[in-house]
Structures are given as C-alpha cells and as structure tokens.
Amino acid sequence: MLVKLHDALRLRTSPTIFFASAGVIILFVIATLAFTEPLDNAVSAGSDWLLTNVGWFYILGVTVFLGFLIFIALGRFGRVKLGPDDAPPEHSGPAWFAMLFAAGIGSILMFWGVAEPVSHFGDPPRGEALGIEPGTWEAAREAMNFTYYHFTLHTWTIFALPALCFAYFIHKRNLPPRVSSIFQPILGNRIHGPIGQFIDVVAIVGTVFGVAVSIGLGTLQINGGLNQLWGVPESAGWQLIIIGVVVGIALISVSLGLEKGIKVLSNFNIATAVALMIFVLVAGGSTLFILKGTIQSFGSYLMNLPELALWNDTFADTGWQNTWTVFYWAWTITWSPFVGIFIARISKGRTIRQFVSGVLAVPAGFSVIWFGVFGLASIDIELNGEGGLVERVVEDGDVPGALFAFLEHYPAAGVLSVIAIILVAIFFVTSVDSAALVTDTMANGHEDFNPLGQRIFWALAIGLVTATLLVFSGTGGLEALESTIILVGLPFFVMGFFQMYALYRALQEDSGELPQMRTREWKKVLPPEEYERRQDEDEHDTTAVVVEPEAAGDTPTMRDPYLEHGDPKKPQAGTHPARTGSSTPRHPRAAGR
C-alpha cells in the first residue's frame, strides 16, 4: 500500500522511511493540538525524570566522545583516508576551513553570543558552591569558562563523531548517506531491513525536531528585536508570522538549489557576521580589554576543562546544569545527522587525523573569538559602562532580546539591530533549506535525484513542528523547546556509543590487525659465579645460558604489511626506499657534484 501511495505521489524515496517519519511528525502535531495539556504534562514529566536521573549520562557521553576522537586521530588509524587510498582532498584547505566555519554555527552564535556570558555573569553557575558573587571579576571568569565549555570543543565533538562515521562509511565503504549505514559492521545487510529503517526514522524525526528548536529560538529572538525597534508585540500571532516568513524564504532557497540558494545566502551571512563582530571589537572603546580578555579567558578555560568536562552538579545539586549543559548537549546531538552529513560530504580525501583536527579546531577556534568579542564586550559594559544587560537578561528573563539590548550601547544601534535581525533570519533560512536537503537525502538513501516536492515537504514539516512547539504546546516557548529536545536527544546519545564501536570495528576490518611487535630474542644471562657452579653440577644444562648478553637470533626485518613481498630474507625489503617505492637518496656531497 505504501508503495502504491509513493508511486501515486511521484516520489523517489524509501516508502517505509519517508511515510513512517512523516507519520510520526504529523501524529505529534495532531496530538499536540488535540491533547495539549495531557501531552504537555507527559513531556514535562518525562524530561524532568531524565534531567534528574540521566543528566549525568549526557555529561559523561560527550566527554567520552571527545576522548574517542582524540584517541582515533592520534593512533595508527589517524592516517586512514576518508575515501580511496590514492584520492586527494576534494577541496583545498582554505575552502574546506571556510565551509566548516559555515556548518551549523551561525544561528548558535547569534542567539547566545551575548545571552550566555551575561546570564552566567549575573548568576554564576557555581556561585553558591564556590562563593562567587554575581557581577564580580570572578563571576566574569566563571562566565567565560562555561561559555567556552558549551560552545567550543564539546559542541563540535557532538558534530564530529557522526560526521567522521558518515565520512568513513559513505566515502570508504560507499554506503548510502543514512545513519543506519554507520551500523553496517554490526547489522550487516540488515541496515536495509526493519532495524536499519527504524534507526533512520529516529534520525530523521530527531533532526526535524532539533532544527525546529533552533528555528523556535530564532523566532523568539527576531520577535524580541522587532519589539525593541518598532514595538511589535511578542505574541503567538507574530511568532507564527515570523515562522511563516522564514519557512517561505527557505522554500524559495530550496527551489533554487544548492548553488543559487543555500551557497549565496551562506556566503552573505558569513561576511556580514564577521563584519558585525569586527565592528563590535573596534567601535565600543574596549578593544584592548577584549583582546587581552579573550586570550586570558581561553587559557582559563583550558586549565578548567578537565573539571568542567566531568562536573555534574552532584554536591550543590542546584539543577542549573540540567537546564543549561544537558539542554545544549541534547539539542546539539539532534543536529548531528544533519551537520554530520554536510561535513562528511566536504571532507572526502582527508585523513582521519586531518578531519578530527580540522573539525574540532577550526569552528571551535572561531567560537572562541566570537564569544570572546561579544561576551567580554558585554561584561565590559556591566563592569565599566552603563550596565543594564544583567537586569534585562537575568532579572527580566529576556534571553532572546539580549543581543539587541547589547547593541543599544553602540553607535547606530537601530541600523545594527536591523542588520542583526536580517542575519538571524537568514541563518535560520539556511538552516531550514539545508536541513530539508539533508533530511530528504537520508530518506532517499542517495543524492543522485531528489524531486523538489520532497524537499519542500521536509521544509514545511520543520516549520510545522516549530509552530507546534512554540505556540501550541501549552507551555512557555523556551520551556516547551527544552523539555521536548531533552527527550528527543536521548536515543541519539545511546547511538553515539554504538557509532564509536562500529567505526573502530570497521577500521580494524578494513586495515587489518597488526601482529604483535617482533623483537630479537636473547639468551638467559647468569652471574659468573652461578654459571661456574652449574657447569660443575651434572643436573644443570648450561648450553642455553651465558655470562655476557648474547642474542639468540637475528634482528627481525621490518616490512610494510600493505605491500606484497618476495623473499623476506632480502635485506632491501626492510629499507625505507623499498617499502615506500622511492628512489635511494644520494649523499648530499654526491648530489652536489
């Protein structure tokens, strides 16, 4: 029946995965509208239970993922190519770095660039436990530590792990661009069966919800900016209008395709965002404070990283971490299939070591700069300027309006706020259209031909879920988004551990296990007096013992395990030129003749 409906709609996808994912999304929307209060209570109760009992698992999980990536990059598998062994990288280093910069960070930076540092400065996460007073230099240090913890290495670890798995299984084993492909070493051909299809449905639904949460946050921020500039009410009606406009522009971008739509918008946004950051750096009169503070804050973050990576608020038990760190990790991991496939597509030909170092270092490095500029500029306004940001963000709870309150302290505040609104809107437009493309690719299992109608459906689905969560959930906007994403993120975290095992097992299968290191064997050495005694005693055999160290055999010859060899006794088989195929280098003096 599904196949007949699929053909009648002229789709070109997997009927089971497409209709199951679409059915879950539509059922959620209908259930939310029909049973608003019971469903809201159930989601809230479920998320509260997870926060209380499983929040530590989210904290531990991301740190374990980071450790695994470092281990795999520094180990022998770090030299493995993500693609054919002789394939060069498809993109140059600068182009690859630029695309990594654009992958998934714009919306995060715009929303939290001011809100995060100001929130922790006005209400230190460990203030009561460590005796840190709000609004002090110590509070500023603590605020920057947690801001960097939330948006640098750990955030990009969540993207890098599935991205590395996608890159390996798509480019090396040539499997479909689906989450189920990562589990091929475990499931085998069953990735195409019910288990694999279930994994893909969960991944698609989770991606739609993850992007919807981001669009919801962006909607609140745009609404806050419009309210500050022109008095537009912060209401459900206006939020629906904003969602409609964002999704409408995204549909146009989807229709234009990757080159004319997403790429043009992304390039414009990147250039404008960097220009805004530079303006904030030089126009506020605190340039030196920001530059020095960024370096110092980054050093403090590195020193405190081991503690932060495993801290889970055990003793104070304030509940702070549940609504901040756990929410971030759960939200970010629902983006991981979407961002992961994008990163994998642009990374063909890189080694695993290059991939891990690039994906972790480049975007995280830019995040250090961005939050250093906006965060320290905000703190400078509080400590040395007019202040008012803590009151707006912490006391009034206006997190979406933090950026616009911050821009009021700069020249041409109205113009800057308009630019910021446009930036936020376009960042979320590119999120919707690129998520629609990737989600459709996961449903199809290929990238060769994707009918426009399918991509439009996924863009509409994201907008529909956003509106449902933000406006019709029966709870305050941010609370509904947080509660839902905490539940949705759990299966992704569980998958992460299986992904590590599957990748390591695939690397072992494809590269072969190295044998134990062979070394020269030695005869047993005895003290001279004991050796002489045993020679005089008939019950001892002294033929296998010596007084001076003596080798029992020749030194093993090193050979490249990846090359075919003829006679293993030939000494040239162990030379570097023989193993690498290069010519024997001439002596420098001989070369100069």
Side-chain angles (χ1 to χ4, degrees), residues 126-133:
R126 299 181 294 181
E128 183 178 345
L130 300 182
I132 299 175
E133 294 293 330

Side-chain angles (χ1 to χ4, degrees), residues 100-110 156 159 335 363 366-367 427:
L100 286 177
F101 164 79
I105 63 175
S107 56
I108 296 173
L109 300 183
M110 292 300 296
W156 281 95
F159 293 143
W335 274 65
F366 183 81
S367 295
F427 269 127

Side-chain angles (χ1 to χ4, degrees), residues 333-460:
I333 205 166
T334 57
W335 274 65
S336 60
F338 155 45
V339 179
I341 286 182
F342 171 78
I343 295 175
R345 288 175 63 183
I346 65 175
S347 301
K348 186 176 182 180
R350 302 277 168 187
T351 65
I352 288 178
R353 187 168 296 133
Q354 292 171 336
F355 179 94
V356 172
S357 59
V359 174
L360 288 183
V362 175
F366 183 81
S367 295
V368 168
I369 298 172
W370 180 276
F371 283 99
V373 171
F374 281 87
L376 288 165
S378 303
I379 290 172
D380 182 63
I381 290 173
E382 288 296 311
L383 290 174
N384 305 313
E386 299 175 359
L389 297 180
V390 170
E391 181 181 356
R392 175 82 172 263
V393 176
V394 178
E395 297 178 13
D396 297 342
D398 187 11
V399 175
L403 175 62
F404 303 103
F406 167 78
L407 293 176
E408 285 184 344
H409 295 270
Y410 284 82
V415 176
L416 290 178
S417 295
V418 171
I419 293 174
I421 290 173
I422 295 173
L423 272 174
V424 172
I426 296 180
F427 269 127
F428 287 107
V429 166
T430 55
S431 296
V432 173
D433 55 18
S434 53
L437 287 172
V438 170
T439 303
D440 191 40
T441 297
M442 288 194 289
N444 300 341
H446 63 84
E447 301 175 280
D448 300 330
F449 177 72
N450 299 328
L452 178 60
Q454 293 176 192
R455 288 175 279 160
I456 289 177
F457 169 79
W458 292 116
L460 291 173

Side-chain angles (χ1 to χ4, degrees), residues 451-490:
L452 178 60
Q454 293 176 192
R455 288 175 279 160
I456 289 177
F457 169 79
W458 292 116
L460 291 173
I462 292 170
L464 191 60
V465 172
T466 303
T468 304
L469 288 173
L470 193 59
V471 180
F472 302 112
S473 62
T475 307
L478 280 175
E479 293 179 17
L481 299 176
E482 291 177 3
S483 298
T484 304
I485 210 62
I486 287 167
L487 289 176
V488 174
L490 181 60

Side-chain angles (χ1 to χ4, degrees), residues 45-70:
S47 64
D48 289 342
W49 184 89
L50 280 180
L51 290 174
T52 302
N53 298 282
V54 193
W56 61 270
F57 177 67
Y58 288 81
I59 304 301
L60 176 65
V62 181
T63 299
V64 170
F65 299 163
L66 177 58
F68 173 79
L69 290 173
I70 295 173

Side-chain angles (χ1 to χ4, degrees), residues 533-587:
R533 294 190 196 104
R534 294 190 184 189
Q535 278 190 321
D536 296 336
E537 297 171 355
D538 296 335
E539 65 268 25
H540 295 291
D541 182 10
T542 58
T543 57
V545 296
V546 293
V547 175
E548 297 181 358
E550 180 181 333
D554 296 332
T555 303
T557 301
M558 180 185 294
R559 293 185 298 152
D560 193 326
Y562 298 103
L563 299 178
E564 296 292 336
H565 299 279
D567 185 359
K569 296 182 180 180
K570 291 183 179 180
Q572 62 268 26
T575 64
H576 183 269
R579 289 188 290 110
T580 60
S582 59
S583 59
T584 304
R586 300 172 62 190
H587 192 276

